[in-house]
Amino acid sequence: MDNKNPDIPVLAIDGPSASGKGTVAQQVARALGFRYLDSGALYRLVALAAMRRGVALDDEAALAALAAKLDIAFDHGEVWLEGACAGDEIRSERCGAGASSAAVFPSVRQALLARQRAFRLPPGLVADGRDMGSTVFPDAVLKVYLTASAEERARRRYKQLIEKGMHASLEYILQDINQRDARDQSRHAAPLQICGDASFLDTSSLAIEEVVAEVLARYQAAASHSVA
Ligand code: CDP
């Protein structure tokens, strides 16, 4: 599919689990007045729908069929599945792990491709995930690879879950992050990788505002370069 659309710029933010992509991407989108795509939410919704319907997370054909016709919406900062708000439920570690299992299948990824590209609307898009720069928006104006150490990412995820009043264990989260990193990096279909043209940013010792400011500065530099 031809995905070139120079009139609608994309800023792609990829990186491993709990690297802060979502928070950073949303704040960067707000600062630029751009739309925002949380691509991980689509994979989480597929996992949630599968678990609700008793579809096995290793049944590629059934998962791909589900992904293709899933009734999902992003509205007022919330995520909806079949008309009901699924925001909190999809953030559970169970849905995260399920998403990572479903995401290994090429036909599931293919079914979600057009749905992700449909978010590319004026005046621009900030998209976060694992393959935004490599596969979904290869012509992005800027591709950022955001990461942090596994321990720091586990601490951040733990804090996030506790703040939401959800049950969490730091030890279990670190184990889950390591497993998810390994699965996301080793799968054949669109693995998590640092694209050759991506801008690397380690956030281990940076506050969110510093990361947002740095991404915005890199975007302004890339955007002025691309029109020069
Ligand atoms: O919040 P976190 O970074 O842990 O996960 P997420 O971005 O919500 O994504 C959940 C899972 O979906 C990941 O572990 C990936 O396996 C998968 N995913 C993917 O394969 N490709 C994407 N573009 C986004 C997510």
Side-chain angles (χ1 to χ4, degrees):
M1 187 196 292
D2 182 9
N3 188 42
K4 300 271 180 233
N5 191 341
D7 296 335
I8 308 176
V10 176
L11 197 172
I13 302 182
D14 290 304
S17 189
S19 54
K21 300 181 306 289
T23 310
V24 169
Q26 283 177 67
Q27 293 190 18
V28 167
R30 206 170 304 132
L32 293 171
F34 282 9
R35 288 163 196 271
Y36 166 59
L37 166 63
D38 169 7
S39 65
L42 295 176
Y43 289 92
R44 287 172 181 264
L45 285 165
V46 171
L48 177 60
M51 292 188 281
R52 281 186 184 167
R53 291 171 195 207
V55 169
L57 290 167
D58 60 358
D59 185 343
E60 177 169 7
L63 289 170
L66 204 56
K69 61 174 178 10
L70 214 53
D71 171 15
I72 51 183
F74 290 81
D75 195 19
H76 293 91
E78 269 305 345
V79 182
W80 303 79
L81 176 61
E82 280 143 358
C85 183
D88 282 345
E89 210 173 344
I90 61 163
R91 295 294 148 211
S92 68
E93 290 306 293
R94 189 168 149 259
C95 272
S100 166
S101 298
V104 302
F105 296 120
S107 55
V108 172
R109 308 197 68 84
Q110 184 60 37
L112 294 178
L113 197 55
R115 301 189 93 149
Q116 294 173 82
R117 288 181 175 160
F119 280 80
R120 188 175 193 167
L121 293 168
L125 177 70
V126 178
D128 89 61
R130 303 292 189 287
D131 61 343
M132 297 297 97
S134 62
T135 308
V136 184
F137 303 109
D139 65 337
V141 172
L142 176 70
K143 302 175 185 180
V144 177
Y145 187 89
L146 211 64
T147 192
S149 68
E151 290 71 22
E152 177 58 24
R153 289 186 281 129
R155 269 193 296 275
R156 290 177 186 172
R157 174 57 49 89
Y158 177 77
K159 195 165 157 259
Q160 207 177 39
L161 293 172
I162 294 295
E163 278 169 6
K164 282 190 176 160
M166 293 165 97
H167 170 76
S169 139
L170 188 58
E171 193 186 341
Y172 173 78
I173 292 173
L174 180 58
Q175 198 184 327
D176 179 64
I177 278 183
N178 283 324
Q179 276 171 3
R180 210 121 62 88
D181 282 358
R183 189 161 41 208
D184 289 353
Q185 284 160 1
S186 65
R187 71 178 175 222
H188 291 293
L192 171 65
Q193 57 183 347
I194 308 175
C195 292
D197 53 353
S199 184
F200 185 84
L201 184 52
D202 187 329
T203 70
S204 299
S205 59
L206 296 178
I208 285 288
E209 314 79 65
E210 294 175 300
V211 181
V212 170
E214 181 59 29
V215 171
L216 284 169
R218 291 187 192 186
Y219 178 74
Q220 300 303 356
S224 60
H225 188 71
S226 70
V227 292

